[in-house]
Amino acid sequence: MEDTLLIDAAERFARGEMTNEENIFFEELRKKNPELDQLVVEQIFFLNELERFGNTKNFKHILHETETKLVSEGLIKRSGLTGKAKVVFLWNRYKRTIAVAASIAGFASIISASLMSVFNSQKTTSDIKPLVEMIKDQKEKTRQLEKKIGQLAPANAVVIKPRLEATFRATGFLIDVSNNFIVTNAHVIKEAKHQLIVENNKGDQFLAEAVYVNVESDLAILKVTDKDFKKLPGLPYTIKRTNADLGEQIFMLGFPKQEIVYGEGYVSAKNGYLLDTIYCQLSTSANEGNSGSPVINKNGELVGIITSKETNAAGVVFAIKSSNIYKAIDEVKKIKDYEKIRVTSTPSLKGTDRISQIKKVEDYVFMIKGN
């Protein structure tokens, strides 16, 4: 099991999937542990060979497809085939068609069985899917890896803050840089039974606590309580008090995987599922982990928060309207300790290109995790 974890760590290093902090620590271990260094070298060689083999195979496939097309169009001639060679040629030429036909037959069988199962069980499923990603089997894997690396580390190694375990992942964003308040969805917070963790785009983790949760509006406000959290400059975006316009172009940043991901689309309806006025409808793509992602227009105004998608329609995503954030802030201000919560910004997105906008916003978007 330990060797497998080391290979996994070496592969993450070779693919560039480690955080800056992990990279530095891993490089130090390589320098002081020849066995680990050799393992990394072998893993890099293995991955390079796999890539080379894949490229060669794809190139041969392209050559074969091109030749077949030219022959079928009469531009070139190929010598006749007999016996087994002819059978092989026919298989190579029509194997895709055969595979597709077989796939359709199999797919039809699966669909039929599924429909029978649905009608027989008389079960109903929700049309709306919250976008929280559950992290399976990560807890034990992380613990085992940290244990193995700890055994390899020299006695005088610099102590690095241990990674906090998590069972789910979603997204949130800063609304108050002075007091470190972050907005996300209420359905995200309910997954946390013990700890709430905020992780930035550099992989640094910080502890946080929920100070406001409203199930009806599906909004939650967190406060980062970790003393190691460094305050950021004023928000680069403003939070819009009015509704987004129909057809308005928008973009999102979130964590559907272990790195920040960009998406774009437009406002396709002024209200949400079954005309719910708390939400607006977007035409875009979103996946598990996108819950809590900020929705921003071209002028740098935050107009919504991703919360869910429709399961029976492609590209239909729902976002809480940004005006609800102000209502939540008013509620939080009633709590004595948080009377000073305020949204202050130094809007710097309007008039800049999209790449510049992303670079300014990404430091203010966080992965929300917990256990």
Side-chain angles (χ1 to χ4, degrees), residues 244-253 261-269 280-286 294-298 303 306 315-317 319 354:
D245 295 322
L246 195 63
E248 190 169 358
Q249 299 293 317
I250 49 90
F251 73 92
M252 303 86 64
L253 291 173
V261 175
Y262 167 83
E264 60 183 25
Y266 58 89
V267 178
S268 55
C280 62
Q281 179 179 304
L282 309 177
S283 179
T284 185
S285 61
V295 180
I296 301 172
N297 65 17
K298 65 179 181 179
V303 298
I306 296 291
V316 177
V317 177
R354 184 54 51 83

Side-chain angles (χ1 to χ4, degrees), residues 269 271-279:
N271 297 308
Y273 186 67
L274 298 179
L275 300 180
D276 192 329
T277 56
I278 292 177
Y279 304 89

Side-chain angles (χ1 to χ4, degrees), residues 51-107:
E51 184 177 1
R52 187 178 67 83
F53 174 76
N55 291 338
T56 302
K57 188 174 181 181
N58 287 336
F59 182 65
K60 289 181 178 179
H61 176 71
I62 292 170
L63 287 178
H64 175 74
E65 291 289 314
T66 303
E67 182 189 12
T68 302
K69 183 179 179 181
L70 291 175
V71 170
S72 65
E73 293 175 355
L75 297 176
I76 62 173
K77 292 184 178 180
R78 183 159 41 193
S79 58
L81 298 173
T82 58
K84 293 182 179 180
K86 188 172 184 179
V87 173
V88 171
F89 168 74
L90 290 172
W91 165 250
N92 286 333
R93 181 170 183 176
Y94 296 108
K95 62 182 178 182
R96 284 190 174 183
T97 305
I98 295 169
V100 169
S103 298
I104 291 172
F107 183 68

Side-chain angles (χ1 to χ4, degrees), residues 172-177 181-184 219-221 234-244 248 292-297 299-305 320-330 333 341-349 361 364:
F173 55 92
L174 267 172
I175 59 166
D176 183 343
V177 295
F181 285 104
I182 291 175
V183 163
T184 188
L219 273 181
I221 296 180
L235 299 176
Y237 44 82
T238 57
I239 300 176
K240 195 172 183 179
R241 291 181 178 273
T242 56
N243 295 337
E248 190 169 358
S293 297
V295 180
I296 301 172
N297 65 17
N299 296 323
E301 297 172 306
L302 191 142
V303 298
I305 308 101
I320 303 166
K321 296 174 182 177
S322 56
S323 57
N324 291 285
I325 295 177
Y326 288 104
K327 296 176 183 177
I329 290 173
D330 290 339
K333 284 182 177 179
I341 182 173
R342 61 188 184 278
V343 178
T344 57
S345 62
T346 53
S348 57
L349 300 183
V361 172
Y364 297 79

